[in-house]
Amino acid sequence: MRVLVVGSGGREHAIVWKLVQSPQVEKVFCAPGNGGIARIAECVDIDVTDIKTLVHFAQKKKIDLTVVGPELPLTLGIVDRFREKGLAIFGPTKKAAEIESSKGFAKNFMAKYRIPTAEYKIFSDPEEVIQYIHKKEPPLVLKADGLAAGKGVLICNSRDEAYNGVDKIMRQKIFGDAGNRLIVEEFLRGEEASVLSITDGENLVILPPAQDHKPIFEGDKGPNTGGMGAYAPAPVVSPKLLRTIREKILLPTVLGMKEEGRLYQGVLYAGLMITPEGPKVLEFNCRFGDPETQAILPLLETDIVEIIETSIEGRIKDISLAVRNEAAVCVIIASGGYPGSYEKGKIIYGLDQIPSDILVFHAGSKIKGKDIVTAGGRVLGVTALSSTIETAIEKVYKAVGKITFDGAYYRRDIGYKALRR
């Protein structure tokens, strides 16, 4: 089997790493890939949004399966285009992917199908938002309606913060056209969790629940990023709670999307707040999470190709997942200045010092001569597995300490909520 992975981040490196372990896979291509992926797959210089060229490449190279990593090509309709050409591809269609590309659509969908989420209101006029905020008690949550690379959410602890947030999103357009519409939500209190499932449009299987760390600084302070680390399984999601999430959130979403004529096949990711009243949806994503995938896939023993095939072929109920009885912790090493401006081209040292039982997934890296250099905000994801989260944390930070580059930054408290439990 010849497989094409679309994307260039740590998530895609983890997917490629898992695919090459499958006895069914003969060769993996990645478009465009990165410096780490290039060591285990053939990288091809095609942008994730260049769907026409990706289709042509898949036809020319006789690709048997394409796996899409990031949300953007999914929301642009890559699955629809590949299927039109008779090419097997894993992911939701453009209409189904709207559950991520429009937060407004997702909120209205949840209201219709009684899926628990925060109270909300959607606006297109900044003046109307200001008037609404004037009547509400903070804290409030502002969300850009469209895609914002995981950064389009502002938590506002005062009305002045909220007014400023409206100005940034709707007038200054810090998230571009994603801020043409704005959702104002009640602030939910509790602990966050990421629950990823794989569905064929009618049934689903659930991957080990994880917890992401979005803010840049320790103690969950500072602006949101694409994610500074993750661990799995997350103890905040008990087996009983996972059954509730399945029955009250995931299955109603899959069946509701089918009812709407948007058959949903692929990864359905629920970003949840575990509140005193139960789990509530913060957001849905239409793809594997990043960095959660870098903690989840190493725990998965089942052949990933088998899981993907059952999703595409509508027979996911035929598979049961085998999962390691271990914990995985992933720490992101980022460029100094991220999620703001940062420099690229810094030589990465210490990768040859990492023990063989530690996984290093590349995100913003590229090969330059004999060196691997930084090429993005989130540069590497370092993942360790151990019998407990506590020992996995110790193991991962020992490895992270061996890797250096000019300006390297990482949070030193990934997994701290799990330790509290």
Short mmCIF file of all heavy atoms in Angstrom, two decimals, residues 346-354 371-372 380 400 402-406:
data_model
loop_
_atom_site.label_atom_id
_atom_site.label_comp_id
_atom_site.label_asym_id
_atom_site.label_seq_id
_atom_site.Cartn_x
_atom_site.Cartn_y
_atom_site.Cartn_z
N LYS A 346 17.51 28.49 13.22
CA LYS A 346 18.42 28.17 14.32
C LYS A 346 18.76 26.68 14.29
O LYS A 346 17.88 25.83 14.20
CB LYS A 346 17.76 28.51 15.67
CG LYS A 346 17.22 29.94 15.77
CD LYS A 346 18.31 30.98 15.66
CE LYS A 346 17.75 32.38 15.85
NZ LYS A 346 18.81 33.40 15.71
N ILE A 347 20.05 26.36 14.39
CA ILE A 347 20.48 24.95 14.37
C ILE A 347 20.02 24.25 15.64
O ILE A 347 20.16 24.77 16.75
CB ILE A 347 22.02 24.84 14.24
CG1 ILE A 347 22.49 25.46 12.92
CG2 ILE A 347 22.47 23.38 14.32
CD1 ILE A 347 24.00 25.55 12.78
N ILE A 348 19.44 23.07 15.47
CA ILE A 348 18.95 22.27 16.60
C ILE A 348 20.03 21.28 17.00
O ILE A 348 20.50 20.48 16.18
CB ILE A 348 17.65 21.53 16.22
CG1 ILE A 348 16.58 22.52 15.77
CG2 ILE A 348 17.15 20.69 17.41
CD1 ILE A 348 15.35 21.88 15.14
N TYR A 349 20.41 21.32 18.27
CA TYR A 349 21.45 20.44 18.79
C TYR A 349 20.85 19.42 19.75
O TYR A 349 19.82 19.68 20.39
CB TYR A 349 22.52 21.24 19.54
CG TYR A 349 23.25 22.25 18.69
CD1 TYR A 349 22.90 23.61 18.74
CD2 TYR A 349 24.29 21.87 17.85
CE1 TYR A 349 23.57 24.55 17.97
CE2 TYR A 349 24.97 22.81 17.07
CZ TYR A 349 24.60 24.14 17.14
OH TYR A 349 25.26 25.06 16.37
N GLY A 350 21.49 18.27 19.87
CA GLY A 350 21.13 17.29 20.89
C GLY A 350 20.20 16.18 20.45
O GLY A 350 19.92 15.27 21.22
N LEU A 351 19.73 16.23 19.22
CA LEU A 351 18.81 15.17 18.77
C LEU A 351 19.48 13.80 18.77
O LEU A 351 18.81 12.78 18.99
CB LEU A 351 18.28 15.50 17.36
CG LEU A 351 17.35 16.73 17.27
CD1 LEU A 351 17.05 17.07 15.82
CD2 LEU A 351 16.05 16.47 18.04
N ASP A 352 20.80 13.78 18.56
CA ASP A 352 21.52 12.50 18.56
C ASP A 352 21.76 11.98 19.98
O ASP A 352 22.27 10.87 20.15
CB ASP A 352 22.85 12.65 17.82
CG ASP A 352 23.73 13.75 18.40
OD1 ASP A 352 23.22 14.59 19.18
OD2 ASP A 352 24.93 13.78 18.09
N GLN A 353 21.40 12.75 20.98
CA GLN A 353 21.58 12.33 22.38
C GLN A 353 20.32 11.72 22.99
O GLN A 353 20.32 11.30 24.15
CB GLN A 353 21.97 13.55 23.23
CG GLN A 353 23.19 14.31 22.74
CD GLN A 353 24.45 13.46 22.77
OE1 GLN A 353 24.72 12.79 23.75
NE2 GLN A 353 25.22 13.49 21.68
N ILE A 354 19.25 11.66 22.21
CA ILE A 354 17.96 11.21 22.74
C ILE A 354 17.89 9.68 22.77
O ILE A 354 18.16 9.03 21.74
CB ILE A 354 16.79 11.78 21.90
CG1 ILE A 354 16.84 13.31 21.90
CG2 ILE A 354 15.45 11.31 22.43
CD1 ILE A 354 16.78 13.95 23.25
N ASP A 371 22.63 19.98 8.80
CA ASP A 371 21.94 20.35 10.04
C ASP A 371 20.42 20.28 9.90
O ASP A 371 19.88 20.34 8.79
CB ASP A 371 22.32 21.79 10.44
CG ASP A 371 23.79 21.95 10.74
OD1 ASP A 371 24.36 21.05 11.41
OD2 ASP A 371 24.38 22.96 10.30
N ILE A 372 19.76 20.16 11.05
CA ILE A 372 18.32 20.38 11.12
C ILE A 372 18.12 21.71 11.83
O ILE A 372 18.66 21.94 12.92
CB ILE A 372 17.59 19.24 11.84
CG1 ILE A 372 17.68 17.97 11.01
CG2 ILE A 372 16.14 19.61 12.10
CD1 ILE A 372 16.88 16.80 11.53
N LEU A 380 9.47 21.17 17.92
CA LEU A 380 9.54 19.74 18.20
C LEU A 380 8.51 19.36 19.26
O LEU A 380 8.17 20.16 20.12
CB LEU A 380 10.93 19.35 18.71
CG LEU A 380 12.15 19.68 17.86
CD1 LEU A 380 13.43 19.47 18.66
CD2 LEU A 380 12.17 18.82 16.60
N VAL A 400 13.98 16.29 27.09
CA VAL A 400 13.85 17.67 26.60
C VAL A 400 15.09 18.49 26.95
O VAL A 400 15.55 19.32 26.15
CB VAL A 400 12.57 18.33 27.17
CG1 VAL A 400 12.57 19.84 26.97
CG2 VAL A 400 11.33 17.71 26.53
N LYS A 402 18.07 17.70 26.89
CA LYS A 402 19.22 17.40 26.02
C LYS A 402 19.16 18.16 24.69
O LYS A 402 20.12 18.20 23.94
CB LYS A 402 19.26 15.90 25.72
CG LYS A 402 19.49 15.02 26.96
CD LYS A 402 19.46 13.54 26.57
CE LYS A 402 19.55 12.63 27.78
NZ LYS A 402 20.84 12.70 28.48
N ILE A 403 17.98 18.75 24.37
CA ILE A 403 17.79 19.41 23.08
C ILE A 403 17.90 20.92 23.25
O ILE A 403 17.25 21.50 24.12
CB ILE A 403 16.42 19.05 22.48
CG1 ILE A 403 16.33 17.53 22.25
CG2 ILE A 403 16.18 19.80 21.17
CD1 ILE A 403 14.95 17.05 21.86
N THR A 404 18.71 21.55 22.42
CA THR A 404 18.87 23.01 22.52
C THR A 404 18.90 23.65 21.13
O THR A 404 19.31 23.03 20.16
CB THR A 404 20.19 23.38 23.25
OG1 THR A 404 21.30 22.84 22.52
CG2 THR A 404 20.22 22.85 24.67
N PHE A 405 18.44 24.86 21.08
CA PHE A 405 18.67 25.77 19.94
C PHE A 405 18.47 27.18 20.47
O PHE A 405 17.85 27.38 21.52
CB PHE A 405 17.76 25.45 18.74
CG PHE A 405 16.28 25.47 19.02
CD1 PHE A 405 15.54 26.64 19.01
CD2 PHE A 405 15.61 24.28 19.29
CE1 PHE A 405 14.18 26.64 19.25
CE2 PHE A 405 14.24 24.26 19.53
CZ PHE A 405 13.52 25.45 19.52
N ASP A 406 19.01 28.15 19.77
CA ASP A 406 18.96 29.54 20.23
C ASP A 406 17.50 29.99 20.38
O ASP A 406 16.74 29.99 19.42
CB ASP A 406 19.70 30.42 19.21
CG ASP A 406 19.79 31.86 19.67
OD1 ASP A 406 19.75 32.11 20.89
OD2 ASP A 406 19.89 32.76 18.81
#
